[in-house]
């Protein structure tokens, strides 16, 4: 579109050049510059910027729907495809901005379970997470100029999640792409390369869909024949830009091949062998429930403990009546006793009485004081019916701003809500592999199930346990999202997982990710089942973090290649 030239305005009021003012050839007037900038903004916003903005906002919302509680899992790759198409071939700064918008549209609804903590905390954390999409968006804009770009964009998703899951304060790996695919044909890949490989393949399928869409668009209608001296050339997807003939056939083949590869990647998951069954052990999971929903339930510590004591006595009565099989171990959730059983005689007697009644070891979640009483430990305690409390695990990854407060002296003066954290939680230093009854278990507590390293470390246990307290976030998206993570971990490590929650969702998950039992929220529940205990290690256990780091290196390498190629082209022009 031709640009109009606004009349120049002399600073002294007369015609340009009259009175000594600079003429239009010497310097454009301020109004003219602003007018041209406004027209450029409207032109790019109306023809390119706004459609892309709308696409990334819709795609971010669609990606949220792939996660629990919606579980529209096919939208995961579709949303990745839409985000990729919006950023494809743009300037890096445009890709960065689109990445942030798409990230905000994704994280704000996905993390809405944090609203009970405070709308400000929810908004801040969601937008901070969206910041990680800025470098990813800029990088995707660049690497989509390279051949084979669906592979490079998928590797960049892994790189983004690797950074987000580690920094700062240990990271926040919630809402990874892999956690949207915990009951899909892509799930079995977790046993080969863990959650990073599932993320990569989910993003790869999305990139292949985007590749097919680009090729199909070029089939929509032939381009006009190039004029003398012009050449058709090829796009970044390898599809010829020629107006017809071989170029159209190549585009058709490219689209078809991309769809075939996407289908093959998805379907191949069905051929990954499921874990072999092993010796069975009978287990029980107790969900005692909490007095009421909300942050202040911790003020009713005795009622929470009594609920779990009562449920355990009920289990013992059902065993004596022959209604359920006698379990060989019992698991209580995190925070089932916020009264320190080592220093509170009433709490000790209540727990010990329930454990003696059921007659088997119980893993008790309790808050205890450190020896100097300056901090709190979040413990899983092995409580034996004969010898009482014995081995224990202390949570190694407490939640920043929830269980410990960085910059305490400054923040407590600014945000009064942080006074609800009067003492920091201590960080454990020992592995959560412990003997509970006849088997070695691997214990992680709540938030830790999202971290690859913490779960992999305890996968030496024959059964994995997730002790959690979701009462604050009850009836939000967070409890079902945590169950989805546990299902992926079961497949990744080939282990039965017992999820014990104070108020729900508690569950027993088979090594292949199937749900054996699942509770409702805010009701007492007792789950008893015979489950396999396994010692065989998966390939994901053996290779550890290597798949993730290899994929991160692939993404960074592609970005460097794209930046170098772009710089060379700019120099040539």
């Amino acid at each position: 579109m031709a640009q109009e030239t606004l009349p120049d305005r002399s600073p002294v009021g007369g015609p340009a050049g009259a009175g000594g003012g600079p003429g239009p050839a010497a310097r454009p007037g301020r109004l003219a510059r602003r007018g041209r900038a406004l027209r450029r903004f409207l032109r790019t916003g109306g023809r390119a910027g706004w459609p892309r903005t709308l696409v990334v906002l819709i795609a971010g919302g669609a990606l949220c729907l792939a996660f629990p509680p919606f579980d529209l899992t096919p939208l995961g790759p579709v949303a990745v495809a839409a985000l990729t198409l919006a950023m494809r071939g743009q300037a890096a700064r445009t890709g960065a901005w689109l990445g942030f918008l798409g990230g905000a549209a994704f994280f704000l609804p996905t993390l809405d379970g944090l609203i009970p903590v405070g709308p400000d905390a929810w908004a801040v954390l969601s937008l901070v997470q969206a910041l990680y999409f800025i470098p990813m968006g800029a990088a995707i804009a660049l690497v989509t100029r390279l051949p084979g770009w669906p592979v490079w964009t998928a590797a960049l998703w892994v790189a983004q999640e690797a950074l987000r899951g580690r920094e700062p304060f240990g990271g926040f790996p919630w809402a990874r792409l892999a956690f949207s695919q915990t009951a899909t044909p892509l799930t079995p890949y977790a046993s080969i390369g863990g959650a990073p490989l599932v993320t990569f393949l989910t993003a790869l399928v999305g990139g292949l869909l985007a590749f097919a869409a680009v090729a199909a668009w070029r089939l929509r209608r032939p381009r006009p024949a190039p004029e003398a001296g012009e050449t058709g050339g090829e796009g970044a997807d390898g599809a010829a830009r020629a107006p017809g003939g071989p170029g159209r056939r190549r585009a058709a083949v490219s689209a078809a091949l991309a769809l075939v590869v996407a289908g093959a990647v998805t379907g191949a998951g069905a051929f990954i062998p499921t874990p072999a069954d092993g010796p069975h052990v009978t287990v029980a999971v107790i969900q005692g429930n909490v007095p009421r929903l909300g942050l202040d339930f911790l003020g009713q510590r005795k009622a929470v403990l009594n609920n779990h004591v009562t449920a355990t006595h009920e289990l013992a009565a059902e065993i004596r009546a022959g209604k359920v099989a006698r379990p060989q171990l019992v698991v209580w959730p995190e925070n089932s006793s916020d009264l320190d059983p080592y220093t509170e005689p009433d709490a000790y007697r209540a727990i010990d009485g329930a454990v003696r009644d059921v007659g088997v070891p119980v893993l008790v979640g309790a808050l205890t004081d450190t020896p100097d009483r300056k901090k709190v430990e979040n413990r899983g305690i092995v409580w034996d019916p004969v010898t009482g409390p014995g081995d224990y695990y202390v949570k190694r990854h407490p939640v920043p701003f929830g269980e410990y407060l960085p910059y305490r002296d400054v923040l407590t003066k600014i945000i009064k809500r942080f006074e609800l954290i009067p003492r920091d939680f201590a960080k454990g230093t020992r592995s959560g592999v412990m003997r509970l009854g006849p088997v070695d278990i691997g214990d992680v507590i709540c938030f830790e199930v999202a971290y690859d390293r913490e779960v992999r470390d305890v996968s030496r246990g024959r059964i994995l346990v997730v002790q959690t307290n979701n009462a604050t976030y009850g009836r939000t998206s967070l409890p079902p999202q945590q169950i989805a993570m546990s299902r992926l971990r079961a497949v990744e490590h080939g282990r039965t997982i017992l999820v014990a929650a104070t108020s729900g969702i508690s569950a027993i998950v088979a090594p292949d990710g199937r749900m054996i039992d699942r509770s409702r929220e805010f009701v007492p529940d007792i789950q008893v089942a015979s489950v396999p205990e396994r010692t065989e290690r998966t390939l994901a256990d053996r290779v550890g973090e290597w798949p993730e780091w290899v994929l991160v290196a692939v993404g960074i390498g592609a970005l460097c290649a794209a930046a170098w190629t772009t710089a060379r082209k700019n120099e040539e022009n």
Side-chain angles (χ1 to χ4, degrees):
M1 182 176 68
Q3 295 186 5
E4 298 175 357
T5 302
L6 296 179
D8 189 27
R9 299 296 186 222
S10 168
V12 295
R27 185 180 65 182
R30 181 179 300 176
L31 184 59
R33 291 196 301 272
R34 289 180 177 176
R36 285 194 292 272
L38 178 61
R39 286 196 296 274
R40 282 195 301 269
F41 174 79
L42 294 176
R43 185 170 63 252
T44 57
R47 294 183 180 178
W50 294 119
R52 293 179 188 275
T53 298
L54 184 60
V55 167
V56 296
L57 292 176
I58 294 174
L63 185 56
C64 168
L65 296 178
F67 287 77
F70 308 104
D71 290 317
L72 300 178
T73 53
L75 288 180
V78 171
V80 171
L83 288 167
T84 304
L85 288 172
M87 302 170 189
R88 175 179 172 270
Q90 297 297 296
R93 61 179 178 274
T94 303
W97 172 241
L98 293 173
F100 174 74
L101 291 180
F106 166 56
F107 283 111
L108 284 166
T110 303
L111 302 181
D112 68 341
L114 294 170
I115 293 177
V117 178
D120 52 348
W122 158 70
V124 168
L125 179 60
S126 299
L127 295 177
V128 167
Q129 295 306 299
L131 293 177
Y132 290 88
F133 277 43
I134 290 178
M136 183 180 73
I140 288 176
L142 292 176
V143 302
T144 47
R145 303 171 187 178
L146 298 175
W149 51 264
V151 176
W152 321 135
T153 58
L156 289 170
W157 276 91
V158 178
Q160 173 263 132
E161 291 183 354
L163 177 61
R164 186 164 64 86
R166 290 173 172 83
E167 296 296 337
F169 309 117
F172 186 77
W174 211 274
R176 296 160 68 180
L177 273 183
F179 297 148
S180 71
Q181 304 295 311
T182 56
T184 74
L186 296 175
T187 307
Y189 286 103
S191 65
I192 297 176
L197 180 59
V198 178
T199 284
F200 173 77
L201 294 176
T202 304
L204 177 61
V205 171
L208 290 168
L209 293 178
F211 187 98
V214 172
W217 177 258
R218 288 180 172 151
L219 289 171
R220 181 168 170 264
R221 63 183 177 212
R223 293 187 173 209
E227 297 179 2
E230 294 182 348
T231 58
E234 290 188 354
D237 59 353
R241 295 175 183 265
R248 288 176 57 78
R249 286 194 295 271
R250 185 179 300 179
V253 170
S254 296
L257 184 60
L259 294 177
V260 168
V261 173
V265 168
T266 304
F271 297 95
I272 298 175
T274 56
D277 207 359
H280 277 234
V281 59
T282 303
V283 302
V285 174
I286 299 295
Q287 178 177 300
N289 201 17
V290 297
R292 63 171 178 260
L293 176 67
L295 278 171
D296 60 350
F297 91 93
L298 291 174
Q300 303 180 48
R301 297 175 294 174
K302 185 173 292 188
V304 175
L305 174 57
N306 288 341
N307 285 353
H308 290 84
V309 167
T310 299
T312 305
H313 283 301
E314 291 176 0
L315 171 61
E318 291 182 0
I319 294 169
R320 288 189 290 268
K323 295 181 179 179
V324 298
R326 177 179 293 276
Q328 294 163 275
L329 59 91
V330 178
V331 178
W332 284 13
E334 176 192 27
N335 292 126
S336 47
S337 177
D338 282 346
L339 296 171
D340 185 345
Y342 299 107
T343 60
E344 297 279 351
D346 290 343
Y348 186 102
R349 285 192 293 268
I351 296 171
D352 196 58
V355 175
R356 289 177 181 273
D357 192 18
V358 79
V360 298
V362 177
L363 184 66
V364 176
L367 298 185
T368 65
D369 293 325
T370 56
D372 60 8
R373 303 185 67 84
K374 292 182 178 180
K375 292 186 177 182
V376 180
E377 290 182 336
N378 193 344
R379 285 192 180 191
I381 306 170
V382 176
W383 204 294
D384 187 85
V386 177
T387 59
D391 202 1
Y392 62 88
Y393 166 67
V394 177
K395 187 176 183 180
R396 289 182 287 179
H397 210 302
V399 181
F401 305 100
E403 293 175 325
Y404 76 95
L405 189 58
Y407 317 118
R408 173 178 291 275
D409 293 340
V410 175
L411 291 179
T412 50
K413 296 176 182 178
I414 302 173
I415 304 174
K416 295 300 182 182
R417 190 187 306 119
F418 285 144
E419 294 175 356
L420 295 173
I421 314 173
R423 291 187 295 169
D424 288 337
F425 278 59
K427 295 183 180 181
T429 57
R430 303 193 312 169
S431 168
V433 178
M434 303 176 289
R435 190 75 176 177
L436 184 65
V439 298
D440 290 334
I441 64 162
D443 187 25
V444 293
I445 297 178
C446 195
F447 187 63
E448 292 179 320
V449 72
Y451 291 88
D452 296 344
R453 182 177 299 177
E454 275 72 7
V455 184
R456 186 185 303 115
D457 179 63
V458 300
S459 64
R460 295 176 285 111
R462 298 185 177 190
I463 291 177
L464 300 186
V465 173
V466 180
Q467 295 179 286
T468 186
N469 168 24
N470 286 326
T472 300
Y473 314 105
R475 299 194 179 99
T476 71
S477 61
L478 297 193
Q481 287 173 10
Q482 190 177 54
I483 288 294
M485 296 180 202
S486 299
R487 296 183 70 179
L488 188 76
R489 298 305 187 191
V491 175
E492 180 177 356
H493 303 292
R495 295 291 188 269
T496 297
I497 291 192
L498 311 179
V499 183
T502 50
S503 59
I505 303 169
S506 299
I508 300 176
V509 185
D512 60 1
R514 289 179 299 108
M515 300 290 288
I516 296 174
D517 204 344
R518 173 180 174 138
S519 75
R520 293 182 293 117
E521 292 189 73
F522 293 105
V523 294
D525 192 65
I526 300 172
Q527 300 173 4
V528 180
S530 177
V531 301
E533 50 162 319
R534 301 186 68 256
T535 58
E536 183 182 355
R537 307 282 279 171
T538 63
L539 180 59
D541 289 323
R542 293 193 290 269
V543 299
E545 294 182 342
W546 277 105
E548 181 179 32
W549 292 124
V550 168
L551 292 170
V552 168
V554 167
I556 294 175
L559 175 59
C560 293
W564 179 75
T565 302
T566 301
R568 282 191 60 188
K569 288 183 177 179
N570 290 339
E571 289 177 0
E572 292 172 358
N573 294 334

